Amino acid sequence: MTTVLVLGASGYVGSHLVPRLVEEGHAVRAAGRRRETLEAREWVGVEVVQADALDRESLDAAFKGVDLVYYLVHSMASGSDFPERDRRAAENTRQAAEGAGVSRIVYLGGLQPSGAASAHLASRRETGDVLREGAVDVTEVRAGIVVGPGSAAFEVIRDLVYHLPVMVTPRWVRSLTQPIALDDLIEYLVRLPEAEPPGSHVYDAGGPEVVRYQDLLTRFARAVGRRLAIIPVSVLSPRLSSYWLDLVTAVPSSVARPLIDGLRHDLVVDPEADLQARIPIELHTYEEAVQAALEAERTAELPARWTEGSFAMRDHRAEISFYSRGERVERTCDASPESVWGVVSAIGGSNGWYYGNWLWNLRGLLDRLVGGVGRRRGRRHPTEIRTGDALDFWRVVGVEAGRRLTLLAEMKLPGIAILEFEVAAEREGSRIVTSAHFHPAGAAGLLYWYALWPIHKRIFAGLTDAIVARALRAPAR
């Protein structure tokens, strides 16, 4: 049995790779920066560890006793300094792998253009170079656009199709690309270590078709029954269009901008490096990959807590964006976790919403005016709460007593809203995190979020502060 470490297991590819490796009989250790995110996956037979590739010391325990490492880390979402962060993460990983006696690192990178690359693609290439500077064998898989729910490139396509029936597009939509189905990429990654000879190797992984980016848009639209008109113009650069994407899609700008910046190049498989030659599998067409992605969403179960892209929490509606806009407020206090949880679990109904209650009442009234439930349902019990309870215009979809409360909005909205409270011990007191997530449905959903963002920002900060204040006044438990 091979002991496998997946570094970056909470990411898009990692979260799909981990269960497949378990199916293959490997002993799997999943590592990520936030342990609670990994635990939310509820994987059976997987050891979960907290590790950050930018923190050299945190890697030692994660790498101990490991034979094979899947390196799925990149810092594209961290800001403009991502190349330096990627370089440092690769150096730390290389050193930790050498120290632990790892036999091989499998690194997932991106297809490279024949000429000069964008900052994002150049950083992905440099990561592979840095990893190969050590004594551990490295297999680098340079993949094309991955077609599957949660892939940033795929979600850009989804949002554009559902948000803009008519697109005035830049020249980059004519660039050639070779998308690969998520299932095919996972199959490659699972099979690759068994087929690898000694030494370091670089492979290209793409699907069976070379198409233009605009074809990905029109063919997705056809697959979901949407009409789409594309009008290419020559005045919009990839950089300018990336700022436009920030307004019309829910994909985080820190991800979309470098991604789109790289689309000025043709990104196709080099025949001499084609992974298909080493691992001949039946590859899926783009349409087949799109249908598989939509079906995977339809069959997904409702999780006990919010996770990005959960289809069940998006009301099983494909037009609602996978990625969310949101606010996160974190506070620490001297009150016990029990006292904080007591306040959280009593929220709503006749107890009110602790801060700006008149705004919550106004929102309930407006909801009633458009045919919604408003606040008339209240609570089942003034202090007890359980999964399935109605709570004003929310539904309780997850409760971990003393730790987490997840609410799904049932008000009339151009999208789906989730409100989640998390309570944890912190030194002599506690920490509370209030997270609000909004998955917009089309352009109306984005306009709704932008219009109310200043109000939401203040409400959720004030609500969290009010919870802390009430917990401090509550009798000790």
Side-chain angles (χ1 to χ4, degrees), residues 311-358:
F311 196 53
M313 285 195 181
R314 285 155 52 211
D315 197 27
H316 297 89
R317 294 163 57 190
E319 76 274 15
I320 294 180
S321 296
F322 179 98
Y323 287 102
S324 65
R325 302 286 176 142
E327 285 295 324
R328 185 177 188 274
V329 182
E330 182 174 337
R331 298 287 188 268
T332 57
C333 66
D334 294 332
S336 68
E338 293 78 14
S339 294
V340 176
W341 176 254
V343 178
V344 168
S345 61
I347 200 166
S350 60
N351 298 324
W353 286 83
Y354 306 152
Y355 176 82
N357 208 51
W358 68 274

Side-chain angles (χ1 to χ4, degrees), residues 3-26:
T3 302
V4 177
L5 170 67
V6 180
L7 194 59
S10 59
Y12 168 63
V13 173
S15 62
H16 290 87
L17 177 61
V18 166
R20 274 298 312 278
L21 291 171
V22 173
E23 289 178 7
E24 294 297 316
H26 298 296

Side-chain angles (χ1 to χ4, degrees), residues 320-461:
I320 294 180
S321 296
F322 179 98
Y323 287 102
S324 65
R325 302 286 176 142
E327 285 295 324
R328 185 177 188 274
V329 182
E330 182 174 337
R331 298 287 188 268
T332 57
C333 66
D334 294 332
S336 68
E338 293 78 14
S339 294
V340 176
W341 176 254
V343 178
V344 168
S345 61
I347 200 166
S350 60
N351 298 324
W353 286 83
Y354 306 152
Y355 176 82
N357 208 51
W358 68 274
L359 287 171
W360 294 92
N361 289 333
L362 176 61
R363 185 65 183 87
L365 177 61
L366 293 175
D367 191 51
R368 290 285 299 277
L369 291 176
V370 295
V373 296
R375 288 194 61 190
R376 59 184 170 180
R377 298 187 305 191
R379 295 178 52 109
R380 175 187 59 84
H381 188 277
T383 57
E384 295 178 358
I385 198 162
R386 65 189 182 191
T387 301
D389 279 356
L391 204 165
D392 294 331
F393 38 60
W394 301 90
R395 177 73 59 182
V396 179
V397 294
V399 178
E400 296 174 48
R403 296 182 56 197
R404 184 178 283 102
L405 172 64
T406 305
L407 306 176
L408 177 65
E410 293 188 332
M411 65 191 87
K412 298 291 185 178
L413 287 170
I416 295 297
I418 297 97
L419 182 60
E420 194 164 58
F421 302 94
E422 182 180 355
V423 179
E426 183 80 12
R427 296 189 180 89
E428 299 300 320
S430 58
R431 170 172 50 88
I432 176 171
V433 178
T434 302
S435 302
H437 310 278
F438 180 69
H439 295 263
L446 287 168
L447 288 173
Y448 173 87
W449 172 257
Y450 291 134
L452 294 180
W453 175 74
I455 298 174
H456 286 156
K457 188 177 183 66
R458 185 70 197 110
I459 282 179
F460 295 123

Side-chain angles (χ1 to χ4, degrees), residues 36-266:
E36 59 270 24
T37 301
L38 295 173
E39 291 174 341
R41 301 288 182 182
E42 298 183 337
W43 288 316
V44 177
V46 175
E47 180 187 359
V48 171
V49 297
Q50 185 169 333
D52 184 350
L54 293 171
D55 181 359
R56 174 66 182 81
E57 294 183 359
S58 73
L59 298 180
D60 289 336
F63 278 66
K64 186 177 181 181
V66 168
D67 302 312
L68 173 68
V69 173
Y70 284 93
Y71 185 75
L72 309 177
V73 174
H74 61 86
S75 305
M76 189 168 63
S78 64
S80 60
D81 66 339
F82 68 85
E84 170 57 31
R85 295 167 69 90
D86 276 342
R87 187 179 308 114
R88 186 151 47 93
E91 290 172 349
N92 289 340
T93 298
R94 182 190 69 212
Q95 293 165 7
E98 288 177 333
V102 170
S103 61
R104 181 171 296 277
I105 298 172
V106 177
Y107 162 57
L108 179 61
L111 287 177
Q112 295 293 315
S114 56
S118 67
H120 161 54
L121 293 174
S123 178
R124 303 305 294 274
R125 183 177 60 219
E126 183 188 26
T127 295
D129 294 338
V130 172
L131 291 172
R132 281 187 292 272
E133 290 174 0
V136 178
D137 289 344
V138 176
T139 299
E140 179 179 352
V141 178
R142 295 175 173 176
I145 288 175
V146 182
V147 182
S151 163
F154 181 75
E155 296 309 329
V156 166
I157 292 169
R158 184 208 299 265
D159 282 2
L160 287 175
V161 168
Y162 278 111
H163 296 182
L164 298 174
V166 178
M167 296 184 205
V168 178
T169 60
R171 286 174 295 179
W172 55 257
V173 299
R174 302 188 185 98
S175 297
L176 295 176
T177 184
Q178 196 164 349
I180 182 169
L182 171 64
D183 289 344
D184 293 341
L185 177 60
I186 297 298
E187 188 69 20
Y188 274 145
L189 293 175
V190 169
R191 289 196 192 186
L192 189 55
E194 298 178 359
E196 272 293 74
S200 294
H201 309 277
V202 178
Y203 302 102
D204 286 357
E209 304 164 288
V210 175
V211 297
R212 299 194 181 278
Y213 196 86
Q214 69 181 38
D215 297 328
L216 302 185
L217 295 166
T218 56
R219 290 162 72 175
F220 181 90
R222 186 164 58 246
V224 298
R226 304 283 293 190
R227 292 185 177 181
L228 178 64
I230 294 180
I231 307 172
V233 296
S234 59
V235 296
L236 289 175
S237 68
R239 178 56 56 90
L240 287 175
S241 59
S242 70
Y243 290 109
W244 169 243
L245 285 179
D246 191 23
L247 294 174
V248 299
T249 78
V251 178
S253 60
S254 56
V255 173
R257 288 175 184 173
L259 183 71
I260 295 301
D261 196 37
L263 291 179
R264 68 182 66 168
H265 310 288
D266 291 338

